[in-house]
Amino acid sequence: MPFPFTLPTTSSVLLSDSFSSVTHPSLPLQVTTKRSVLKDALKKHKRLAAQSRSSHLSIVQEALTSYIPYLLTLKTASSYRDVGTERVDVEIIKPLEVEWRTTLTAALPGREAPRPKLTGIHHEVAFTFSTLAHTHVLLARSQLGLLYGSASLSPDQRTSTLAAAMKHLLEAHSILKYLLSVPSVSAARDAPMDIQPSTVSALASLALAEATLVVVSKDDPYAAAVAEDRDETNRDWMFKAPTIPKVRAHLFARICLAAAEHASQACGLLTGNATGKVDEDVVKYANDLRRTARAKAVRFLAIDTELSGKTGEALAWLRGAKKELGLASELEDGKRKGFRGLKQSWQEKREDRKIEKGGEWGMDAGRFEEARVVEMLEAKWDRENSTINVQTVPPFEPLLARLPTGREYHSPQPYEPPTIDPYTLTQLRAPPDPEDLAFRGDEEDSGGEDGYGRSNPPGAFPGAGTDYGRSATSNSYY
């Protein structure tokens, strides 16, 4: 399950204070308007309840894709380059100063993430594109969430849902890779951890790893069988057993190992940065995704071995899968036993409750769900091995030592950012009406020093914090 990113918010900025254009005087005004619409969309998204944010993501995506062409036009023209075939002269009056809320940088517990002041249009470009990538990941997350909802999906619905999620994840990967190719962004050393090149590269690797695992999930009947078994409204078990078609197990194992390699690369980039610290939830998620991908690979190798009639060796592979998950617990009659088994059951029930309430579930990167699949197969094969064909279960360590190499499935296409069409660019040559003002947004600026967002004294009426402050001529509250 993709990571539940928190979309950042930003301050209100009048770009005409920093840029002016002789050839296209309406350009700074239009960029300010488009940015204000984006600022409002992000702030409204932040205030929504967790259950309502998925339906609002399309509005945020539209605001981003409408703002990006104007932002890139302004950046290109300020670097003394032509925009397409047209010459656009933009003069920098003063360096652009913007504020973006950092959501991936480690912060003190219980406090909202800071909103540092950033100088330079390259920081604005970096935060805008990274926010668009996070939006695509959240859209993929909303699609995959349908697979774990209360209603069971038909095979065709499941396939279309997974295909849509895969498309969003690949788009997020391409956007982040494009961001790394922007020289001013990749060379920035004063940027927050959210847009540091190492963080952007790690998030690109995570998106590709998740997209690779979606390929396997599309044709993984065992995960679908476990999801149906968990669905309380499903009554198919009364009259038929779940159909488990044969899968290309060895190929799927190599694809999962490729996903594990991408997740391992992300772990190294997130933990090896000496300039700052990334939020622990992101680091833990990357590590859990690596564990889940490797466990899936080992589980598919177990399926490939069992199809060859080697039930004992297949059980050894499953024990290796539980070792990779870090959730190894002994089974007795298909049920967990011991304190570790009790703790794992409690964690899974807690995750199920998060799914029902629509909260930030999936922080384990699918580890608990994979554990259920492994234990379902282990209980089934152990019964068969004990009653029909008794085979010795060898140790799993030598098996894990000879895992095959990973195999890439995707060939991500380079991202092509949207551009202003020539007709719209020509319209910007018209001078703005002196009575027209740039749209500054309907939302208040939540990071300024003008009192918005300032904490109120205990018992104070909301918004009346300034009435309780000390006066300039008195040292008393009274």
Side-chain angles (χ1 to χ4, degrees), residues 23-24 77 81-89 425 429:
T23 58
H24 297 73
R81 290 182 294 166
D82 294 340
V83 179
T85 59
E86 187 165 352
R87 180 178 178 180
V88 182
D89 292 335
L425 191 58
R429 287 181 173 273

Side-chain angles (χ1 to χ4, degrees), residues 334-453:
K335 297 181 179 180
R336 302 187 186 102
K337 64 177 183 178
F339 176 75
R340 295 186 67 184
L342 180 64
K343 180 181 178 182
Q344 183 177 337
S345 299
W346 176 79
Q347 289 174 326
E348 290 179 359
K349 291 180 180 178
R350 182 183 177 188
E351 191 72 11
D352 290 342
R353 286 194 295 269
K354 289 182 180 179
I355 296 175
E356 294 174 0
K357 295 180 180 179
E360 291 187 354
W361 61 282
M363 297 289 286
D364 63 328
R367 240 188 353 140
F368 296 137
E369 192 72 13
E370 182 61 24
R372 286 171 168 171
V373 178
V374 170
E375 290 178 351
M376 178 194 74
L377 291 175
E378 186 181 16
K380 178 177 181 294
W381 293 348
D382 187 60
R383 283 195 303 270
E384 294 176 357
N385 192 51
S386 300
T387 57
I388 302 176
N389 48 348
V390 180
Q391 297 181 11
T392 304
V393 180
F396 63 82
E397 288 83 1
L399 298 177
L400 296 181
R402 54 184 178 88
L403 287 174
T405 57
R407 176 175 175 178
E408 295 290 348
Y409 181 86
H410 295 294
S411 298
Q413 300 299 315
Y415 174 71
E416 295 183 3
T419 57
I420 295 182
D421 60 276
Y423 177 73
T424 303
L425 191 58
T426 303
Q427 286 184 318
L428 296 177
R429 287 181 173 273
D433 192 324
E435 297 181 357
D436 290 344
L437 298 176
F439 176 67
R440 301 296 297 272
D442 298 327
E443 297 292 320
E444 295 186 63
D445 193 355
S446 61
E449 301 295 333
D450 54 356
Y452 186 90

Side-chain angles (χ1 to χ4, degrees), residues 52-80:
S52 305
R53 288 178 181 172
S54 297
S55 59
H56 191 259
L57 287 171
S58 59
I59 298 177
V60 177
Q61 182 187 10
E62 183 180 356
L64 284 163
T65 54
S66 297
Y67 172 55
I68 284 176
Y70 291 86
L71 175 62
L72 292 181
T73 299
L74 189 66
K75 181 181 182 299
T76 302
S78 63
S79 302
Y80 304 104

Side-chain angles (χ1 to χ4, degrees), residues 122-123 179-191 195-198:
H122 59 285
H123 290 314
L179 192 57
L180 290 173
S181 67
V182 179
S184 57
V185 174
S186 60
R189 293 294 176 262
D190 58 339
I195 54 175
Q196 280 283 336
S198 59

Side-chain angles (χ1 to χ4, degrees), residues 154-433:
S154 65
D156 292 340
Q157 291 174 330
R158 181 182 176 86
T159 300
S160 61
T161 299
L162 289 168
M166 185 194 306
K167 182 179 179 181
H168 283 299
L169 290 171
L170 290 175
E171 188 73 7
H173 170 77
S174 299
I175 292 171
L176 293 170
K177 282 295 185 181
Y178 167 81
L179 192 57
L180 290 173
S181 67
V182 179
S184 57
V185 174
S186 60
R189 293 294 176 262
D190 58 339
M193 284 303 300
D194 294 48
I195 54 175
Q196 280 283 336
S198 59
T199 305
V200 175
S201 180
L203 297 180
S205 297
L206 279 182
L208 185 56
E210 291 157 354
T212 304
L213 287 181
V214 169
V215 176
V216 176
S217 301
K218 184 165 59 72
D219 297 319
D220 185 4
Y222 300 93
V226 170
E228 290 179 3
D229 183 64
R230 189 181 63 248
D231 183 11
E232 296 180 356
T233 63
N234 183 31
R235 296 290 182 267
D236 290 348
W237 59 271
M238 292 181 176
F239 54 88
K240 70 172 184 178
T243 57
I244 307 294
K246 290 185 178 181
V247 296
R248 295 167 291 176
H250 196 272
L251 174 62
F252 287 171
R254 294 187 61 190
I255 293 175
C256 289
L257 287 173
E261 292 173 2
H262 293 303
S264 299
Q265 183 179 4
C267 287
L269 290 169
L270 291 173
T271 57
N273 197 313
T275 59
K277 189 176 181 182
V278 183
D279 187 71
E280 292 182 359
D281 289 339
V282 184
V283 179
K284 181 180 179 298
Y285 174 85
N287 188 45
D288 285 344
L289 184 64
R290 178 188 61 83
R291 286 177 173 271
T292 302
R294 286 184 62 87
K296 280 182 181 290
V298 175
R299 191 243 299 176
F300 278 116
L301 291 174
I303 294 171
D304 185 59
T305 304
E306 197 273 337
L307 291 175
S308 302
K310 304 176 183 178
T311 309
E313 185 177 338
L315 287 169
W317 278 113
L318 290 182
R319 293 178 183 178
K322 292 200 294 183
K323 174 68 175 179
E324 293 290 346
L325 287 170
L327 300 173
S329 57
E330 296 182 5
L331 294 181
E332 185 176 0
D333 296 331
K335 297 181 179 180
R336 302 187 186 102
K337 64 177 183 178
F339 176 75
R340 295 186 67 184
L342 180 64
K343 180 181 178 182
Q344 183 177 337
S345 299
W346 176 79
Q347 289 174 326
E348 290 179 359
K349 291 180 180 178
R350 182 183 177 188
E351 191 72 11
D352 290 342
R353 286 194 295 269
K354 289 182 180 179
I355 296 175
E356 294 174 0
K357 295 180 180 179
E360 291 187 354
W361 61 282
M363 297 289 286
D364 63 328
R367 240 188 353 140
F368 296 137
E369 192 72 13
E370 182 61 24
R372 286 171 168 171
V373 178
V374 170
E375 290 178 351
M376 178 194 74
L377 291 175
E378 186 181 16
K380 178 177 181 294
W381 293 348
D382 187 60
R383 283 195 303 270
E384 294 176 357
N385 192 51
S386 300
T387 57
I388 302 176
N389 48 348
V390 180
Q391 297 181 11
T392 304
V393 180
F396 63 82
E397 288 83 1
L399 298 177
L400 296 181
R402 54 184 178 88
L403 287 174
T405 57
R407 176 175 175 178
E408 295 290 348
Y409 181 86
H410 295 294
S411 298
Q413 300 299 315
Y415 174 71
E416 295 183 3
T419 57
I420 295 182
D421 60 276
Y423 177 73
T424 303
L425 191 58
T426 303
Q427 286 184 318
L428 296 177
R429 287 181 173 273
D433 192 324

